[in-house]
């Protein structure tokens, strides 16, 4: 059974190494929405082969309703490919 993790980020470079160290042991793929990070987050994401970056189409800044919309938008694509879908907050 494959496990997907959906991440919505902004300037999470300080925590991503710890996040990946914990979740890489059981997550098969990460779908990441990055809200224009400027702290090196992109370099960290590119260094992890499990990461598939997605276009962040929302307004600038992270908002709860917007985040849920991004998760719901990806759900139909993930169903049938993954047995579990995680949405942790790194």
């Amino acid at each position: 059974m494959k496990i997907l993790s959906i991440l919505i980020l902004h300037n999470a470079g300080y925590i991503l190494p710890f996040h990946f160290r914990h979740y890489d042991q059981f997550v098969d793929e990460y779908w990441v929405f990055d809200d224009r990070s400027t702290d090196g987050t992109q370099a960290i994401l590119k260094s992890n082969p499990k990461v598939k970056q997605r276009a962040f189409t929302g307004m600038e800044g992270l908002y709860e309703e917007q985040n849920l919309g991004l998760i719901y938008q990806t759900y139909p694509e993930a169903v049938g490919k993954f047995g579990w879908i995680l949405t942790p907050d790194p």
Side-chain angles (χ1 to χ4, degrees), residues 12-70:
Y14 68 98
I15 195 74
L16 277 176
F18 303 103
H19 182 86
F20 287 146
R21 187 174 67 207
H22 176 75
Y23 284 99
D24 272 357
Q25 59 189 320
F26 54 86
V27 167
D28 296 292
E29 199 167 303
Y30 298 96
W31 291 358
V32 180
F33 296 90
D34 179 39
D35 182 18
R36 301 169 279 272
S37 291
T38 59
D39 69 340
T41 294
Q42 285 295 316
I44 296 167
L45 294 174
K46 289 177 183 174
S47 71
N48 189 320
K50 295 182 177 188
V51 170
K52 309 289 187 229
Q53 292 201 50
R54 299 293 179 123
F56 186 89
T57 56
M59 303 173 293
E60 186 171 338
L62 300 174
Y63 304 98
E64 186 174 346
E65 297 84 11
Q66 178 174 280
N67 294 354
L68 287 173
L70 291 171

Side-chain angles (χ1 to χ4, degrees), residues 67-79:
N67 294 354
L68 287 173
L70 291 171
I71 292 167
Y72 293 149
Q73 169 188 345
T74 59
Y75 183 78
E77 185 180 346
V79 170

